[in-house]
Amino acid sequence: MAEALLDSFLTCFLCMKTYTEPVSLDCDHSFCSRCLQQLWSQQPSRTCPVCSRSSEEEPRVNSALKKLSEQFRLRLSQAPPPPRSEEPVRASEEPELPQQAVESEEEAEERLKGLISSQLQALKEEKLQCKQLSQIYGKIQRHQEEQAAHCERCIRAVFSELHGFLQEEEQRSLSALREEQLRQKQSLGPELRKVKETLSSVSNSIKELEEHLQSRTYTQYQPLALPPRLQPKAGLLLDQAKVLGNLGFRVWRNMRSVVKHRAVVLDPNTAGRYLCLSDDLSTVRIEPEENEDLPLNPERFQNYASVLGHEGFSSGLHQWDVEVGGHQDWAVGVVKESFEKVEMDTLGPDHGHWCLGLYSGVYHDVSYKTFSPKRRPQTVRVTLDYDGGRLDFTDADHMTPICSYSGSFTEKLFPYLWVEPDFNGKPTELRVCEDLSS
């Protein structure tokens, strides 16, 4: 009877067989995944075959029911077949049948108990996993709030700086206008005085000639020298084109002094727990203590002081400079999108890691082979030609090649930085340099 109950419990409503890849709907009814998909493909709506309730979300895999069904199917395949006898049962053997039936039922109950215990253990493990995931999500939620507050502070700081710059530019433009206005006034003043002087002289001459006409003393008249006729002088108006021409562009061009562009922006969501990023996401610094408040999200390097660029590349030509200074342990380059962020036991191109690095004073090229450069680079230029399958590292200060890689790339590549504490306890940081070509 127990075996029959278990069989009924583990039987799909659609195919009437033991569950294969069981899934459950929102109404908690379960079916074989293939059976349910075949049924839904033949009808216009996605409803439960038992209660006809509409199912908006995708069916969820029932791990506990799947494990129980697999164990039940395995026990059935291992159970011995019932004994077959051609001889009629003797009367003396009839009392043994109830005993055999009781023993068979006990075995079935024992198997059922074992299966239920297995399901119980699986559910307990799933409950524990859910609790752990709930704690992780709680930490992620708190970190999201901290991120939002930090971003708001940075946004306000950036726009405060821009507002201050624009106000200074506004005052500078208004001052230029006042200077132009003063210059024109100073130019117009002498012309006005000259006109007034000429006007006074002409008026006196007119008065003198009128007196001659009235006194009829024509014989005493001596012709006057007429002054040259005055004409308006050019250039006395404000140079409005000089004041307003390309004003917005000139302000934008001057804004380059406060606005910087970088070809690579670091992604704080990937930074290891010992790393601290600058507000503009251009500099990464190693910290002496681990930041335990950071959630262990899937994007983050969990055991290494590494960080990725925010934007990945799957085509085109890209270039960026990283200031490494005189630090002892660092690496710059690119890694593939699927690069393992938990355990970095293997490095090199075969494992999706293309980097130039300095480890304990020893340089390693892209293939992780040691070498000695002619001079110690302070700034490393990374040039990625994705389509051409080439990666070059150059000493950006002297424009001398360091090492390179030629091959083919099949995944999206992300800029990569790794840094370790200095042996002498000095602050260690790497900085993505400003892109002066933009």
Side-chain angles (χ1 to χ4, degrees):
M1 183 173 65
E3 195 80 20
L5 288 174
L6 184 59
D7 187 19
S8 175
F9 177 72
L10 299 176
T11 299
C12 174
F13 176 80
L14 297 175
C15 65
M16 302 308 294
K17 297 180 182 179
T18 304
Y19 287 120
T20 301
E21 299 295 332
V23 294
S24 298
L25 302 179
D26 297 337
C27 56
D28 291 331
H29 290 125
S30 301
F31 311 92
C32 297
S33 176
R34 183 176 181 183
C35 298
L36 183 63
Q37 296 299 333
Q38 287 181 346
L39 176 66
W40 280 357
S41 65
Q42 299 173 2
Q43 61 185 30
S45 60
R46 293 157 57 99
T47 57
C48 175
V50 177
C51 63
S52 300
R53 178 177 172 180
S54 177
S55 178
E56 299 296 336
E57 298 183 357
E58 287 296 321
R60 63 183 186 277
V61 177
N62 194 323
S63 302
L65 197 59
K66 176 182 178 182
K67 186 174 182 179
L68 194 59
S69 301
E70 291 175 348
Q71 292 181 351
F72 180 70
R73 193 180 294 108
L74 179 61
R75 288 180 181 270
L76 288 181
S77 64
Q78 294 176 347
R84 301 178 63 183
S85 176
E86 298 178 357
E87 297 181 359
V89 179
R90 294 183 297 227
S92 59
E93 296 178 352
E94 290 182 2
E96 297 179 2
L97 290 177
Q99 182 178 0
Q100 293 177 357
V102 172
E103 292 176 354
S104 176
E105 184 173 352
E106 290 177 351
E107 293 176 356
E109 289 179 354
E110 189 65 26
R111 287 196 299 271
L112 177 59
K113 180 180 178 181
L115 292 173
I116 294 176
S117 298
S118 299
Q119 185 181 22
L120 180 62
Q121 181 63 27
L123 290 175
K124 287 182 178 179
E125 293 176 358
E126 186 172 354
K127 180 180 179 181
L128 178 61
Q129 183 180 6
C130 287
K131 286 185 176 180
Q132 294 173 344
L133 190 59
S134 177
Q135 294 176 353
I136 293 175
Y137 283 162
K139 181 173 285 189
I140 288 177
Q141 185 175 15
R142 291 191 296 271
H143 189 65
Q144 284 179 344
E145 295 173 355
E146 294 174 358
Q147 284 181 307
H150 176 74
C151 288
E152 182 175 348
R153 289 193 298 270
C154 292
I155 290 172
R156 293 187 182 279
V158 168
F159 278 92
S160 177
E161 184 179 10
L162 293 177
H163 290 160
F165 170 82
L166 290 176
Q167 288 175 353
E168 291 178 0
E169 286 293 316
E170 179 183 7
Q171 293 302 319
R172 187 178 292 109
S173 297
L174 290 174
S175 297
L177 172 62
R178 301 291 179 261
E179 291 176 1
E180 175 67 13
Q181 187 178 15
L182 178 61
R183 187 184 67 82
Q184 298 301 347
K185 282 184 178 180
Q186 292 175 347
S187 300
L188 186 60
E191 296 298 320
L192 284 175
R193 286 194 297 271
K194 185 185 297 185
V195 170
K196 289 180 180 180
E197 292 174 356
T198 303
L199 179 60
S200 176
S201 174
V202 170
S203 298
N204 291 334
S205 298
I206 292 175
K207 183 178 179 180
E208 182 179 349
L209 291 177
E210 287 178 346
E211 290 177 353
H212 277 290
L213 288 174
Q214 292 177 359
S215 63
R216 297 178 179 274
T217 56
Y218 306 124
T219 58
Q220 299 179 358
Y221 169 73
Q222 294 181 355
L224 300 176
L226 297 178
R229 179 164 296 183
L230 298 179
Q231 298 292 333
K233 184 180 178 180
L236 295 179
L237 294 177
L238 260 66
D239 193 346
Q240 192 170 345
K242 176 183 177 182
V243 174
L244 298 180
N246 290 323
L247 178 60
F249 174 79
R250 286 186 279 118
V251 172
W252 172 80
R253 186 178 55 191
N254 294 337
M255 194 177 290
R256 288 296 305 270
S257 62
V258 295
V259 176
K260 300 184 184 337
H261 175 267
R262 290 176 172 83
V264 169
V265 175
L266 302 179
D267 186 357
N269 292 338
T270 67
R273 288 184 161 192
Y274 284 94
L275 295 181
C276 178
L277 271 60
S278 60
D279 289 342
D280 62 358
L281 305 180
S282 67
T283 303
V284 56
R285 184 178 68 254
I286 189 75
E287 294 291 333
E289 296 182 0
E290 180 182 9
N291 185 358
E292 297 181 354
D293 294 333
L294 288 178
L296 293 179
N297 48 298
E299 304 93 333
R300 190 177 306 283
F301 285 95
Q302 298 185 12
N303 302 318
Y304 298 91
S306 304
V307 64
L308 297 181
H310 178 262
E311 182 182 2
F313 309 120
S314 55
S315 63
L317 181 65
H318 309 275
Q319 180 175 283
W320 62 96
D321 293 351
V322 180
E323 184 179 310
V324 298
H327 304 313
Q328 297 290 333
D329 291 271
W330 52 263
V332 297
V334 295
V335 296
K336 65 181 181 180
E337 187 172 18
S338 61
F339 183 70
E340 180 59 51
K341 297 184 178 64
V342 179
E343 298 295 337
M344 295 167 51
D345 296 331
T346 52
L347 302 175
D350 293 340
H351 305 283
H353 180 271
W354 297 267
C355 293
L356 165 69
L358 177 63
Y359 311 99
S360 302
V362 179
Y363 285 90
H364 294 75
D365 64 11
V366 188
S367 300
Y368 210 64
K369 297 178 181 178
T370 61
F371 75 103
S372 298
K374 294 182 178 179
R375 64 169 56 90
R376 183 167 186 165
Q378 301 294 305
T379 303
V380 176
R381 174 164 297 174
V382 184
T383 306
L384 170 65
D385 182 0
Y386 189 98
D387 300 321
R390 186 173 177 86
L391 181 67
D392 293 289
F393 295 91
T394 308
D395 184 336
D397 296 323
H398 302 88
M399 295 310 297
T400 55
I402 301 175
C403 65
S404 62
Y405 168 83
S406 296
S408 60
F409 305 115
T410 58
E411 284 189 39
K412 181 179 287 188
L413 301 180
F414 285 82
Y416 172 86
L417 277 74
W418 171 83
V419 62
E420 281 291 306
D422 191 283
F423 291 141
N424 300 321
K426 297 180 180 179
T428 304
E429 65 179 28
L430 303 182
R431 183 174 66 90
V432 179
C433 300
E434 180 184 0
D435 183 11
L436 299 178
S437 62
S438 61

